[in-house]
Amino acid sequence: MIIFTLFTIIQSQIAQLSLNGEGLKEQLLQMIDENQLDCQTIQLLITRGFGQQILDLITTDSIILESHLQCAKQSIQNDLLQLESLKKRFTNHENHVLIKPIILWAQSRANILIKVKFAHRIDAPAYISVKNHQIQYLNQNLQISAESDQNNILTKFYLEIPLLNQVDKTIGWQVESVGTMVLNITKIESKLWLHLSKNKNDKFQIWWDLKEQIGKDMEDFSKMLDNQEDHLKNKKKQQKKSDSSQQSSPIKTNIFVAFFLKFKQWLNKWF
Ligand SMILES: *[C@@H]1O[C@H](CO)[C@@H](O)[C@H](O)[C@H]1NC(C)=O
């Protein structure tokens, strides 16, 4: 709460600075006089493009901000480190990129059909030179992997799906158009599945283009999904009803923030 409030105060100071561009130097000086130019503010100023003005203050007015700059530098470096570690999540090796291929799935009672697209997103162009396709069914997990060295960058594709129910070990697959392939999986027990994956967070799109080709089983599957949706909606409605009796807290919070801001203004005026 306090961090949020302070952040709002800093934001509004910066908004003022950007409105009155020419008086910037005076305002910066005033902020220094009032001891309000802290590490966080400097970092924000730099990210908003006021870095040069700060440098000017140091060179022309020889205002010493070394400790400020040091801590601003530290926090910017921390951001960079975070960016690096984020990057590492996508590239698990110096020189190859790891991508989850995109899949669509359809089913009859007997089979699962999966269209695999080797791309970043469903609507992005597929990689053209995909090779070393490997499809495995191991410990009830479906593993799909392949590689591409398009543009001389080694890209590895890997997706693992813990299948909802058991399937036959031998999985038929063939490369379809450029950068896509189709798997034909045989179910052990002949029935429709509500999901493809055991993992509730896996949300795979349905391959509705096969509705005609597969026919009645896909229609039944579609009804099954509609029923599930209705069921979930009703559940949510009921939850909302029981929640609505205890929902005055956001208003209280706003009053508290407003009060805190007033209090802070008052403090600044008198101390
Ligand atoms: C998938 O395999 C089954 C046999 O298990 C076959 O009857 C069916 O036609 C195949 N589907 C496609 C789209 O290749």
Side-chain angles (χ1 to χ4, degrees):
M1 172 67 74
I2 289 174
I3 288 172
F4 168 73
T5 312
L6 287 179
F7 190 72
T8 321
I9 292 170
I10 290 165
Q11 287 278 19
S12 67
Q13 278 171 357
I14 287 171
Q16 274 173 10
L17 283 177
S18 55
L19 277 179
N20 316 311
E22 66 269 29
L24 194 71
K25 194 173 116 185
E26 286 67 32
Q27 291 190 51
L28 279 175
L29 286 173
Q30 196 189 336
M31 278 166 88
I32 291 168
D33 282 348
E34 292 171 0
N35 223 356
Q36 283 188 352
L37 196 60
D38 59 5
C39 194
Q40 204 185 4
T41 312
I42 289 187
Q43 193 202 349
L44 263 168
L45 284 168
I46 290 172
T47 58
R48 295 289 165 91
F50 291 111
Q52 189 57 50
Q53 274 86 346
I54 292 176
L55 274 180
D56 288 350
L57 269 186
I58 299 172
T59 49
T60 60
D61 299 84
S62 23
I63 289 169
I64 301 189
L65 286 166
E66 202 172 330
S67 62
H68 286 134
L69 287 184
Q70 204 57 40
C71 69
K73 184 176 156 199
Q74 189 61 49
S75 61
I76 289 170
Q77 270 170 349
N78 284 342
D79 287 349
L80 282 176
L81 280 179
Q82 252 178 343
L83 193 71
E84 279 301 313
S85 70
L86 249 175
K87 245 170 68 184
K88 281 212 184 93
R89 281 175 53 187
F90 294 102
T91 55
N92 71 344
H93 189 271
E94 288 281 338
N95 48 19
H96 84 244
V97 184
L98 189 62
I99 293 179
K100 268 190 187 178
I102 308 296
I103 67 161
L104 298 170
W105 73 291
Q107 63 178 327
S108 64
R109 282 184 162 73
N111 292 83
I112 300 258
L113 291 163
I114 295 181
K115 179 174 181 157
V116 184
K117 181 171 177 180
F118 298 101
H120 291 272
R121 296 185 317 274
I122 188 71
D123 52 354
Y127 279 68
I128 42 176
S129 51
V130 180
K131 56 190 182 182
N132 300 341
H133 303 77
Q134 272 186 341
I135 311 301
Q136 267 191 318
Y137 180 60
L138 256 183
N139 304 323
Q140 303 186 14
N141 283 332
L142 175 66
Q143 297 170 348
I144 302 167
S145 63
E147 289 177 8
S148 161
D149 51 14
Q150 187 172 316
N151 303 330
N152 292 325
I153 297 168
L154 178 59
T155 302
K156 292 197 174 187
F157 299 94
Y158 186 73
L159 179 64
E160 188 170 299
I161 309 170
L163 293 180
L164 187 66
N165 296 305
Q166 298 229 10
V167 302
D168 196 301
K169 259 209 320 274
T170 47
I171 292 171
W173 62 269
Q174 64 186 72
V175 172
E176 206 198 31
S177 55
V178 170
T180 66
M181 70 190 293
V182 175
L183 317 185
N184 189 348
I185 302 171
T186 308
K187 295 175 179 172
I188 296 286
E189 196 185 336
S190 177
K191 64 172 182 189
L192 292 178
W193 298 7
L194 185 56
H195 307 284
L196 180 62
S197 169
K198 272 195 188 108
N199 185 348
K200 286 233 165 65
N201 295 324
D202 283 344
K203 300 252 187 298
F204 298 119
Q205 289 191 47
I206 314 286
W207 193 6
W208 289 118
D209 286 355
L210 290 191
K211 200 170 171 183
E212 299 269 289
Q213 191 187 324
I214 295 176
K216 185 173 179 306
D217 282 353
M218 275 303 269
E219 275 166 33
D220 290 348
F221 177 38
S222 170
K223 280 178 205 152
M224 201 168 149
L225 290 174
D226 287 346
N227 288 341
Q228 170 73 3
E229 221 165 78
D230 285 348
H231 175 71
L232 288 177
K233 261 187 207 152
N234 284 338
K235 227 174 156 182
K236 256 191 195 154
K237 251 189 211 160
Q238 274 171 359
Q239 230 165 24
K240 253 192 194 156
K241 259 187 201 161
S242 66
D243 282 355
S244 61
S245 53
Q246 332 150 350
Q247 274 220 333
S248 53
S249 60
I251 298 167
K252 266 189 209 151
T253 319
N254 286 341
I255 290 173
F256 185 75
V257 170
F259 174 75
F260 190 86
L261 284 171
K262 274 267 181 298
F263 180 66
K264 179 95 183 142
Q265 269 175 0
W266 181 81
L267 268 184
N268 280 348
K269 222 187 224 168
W270 295 97
F271 297 100

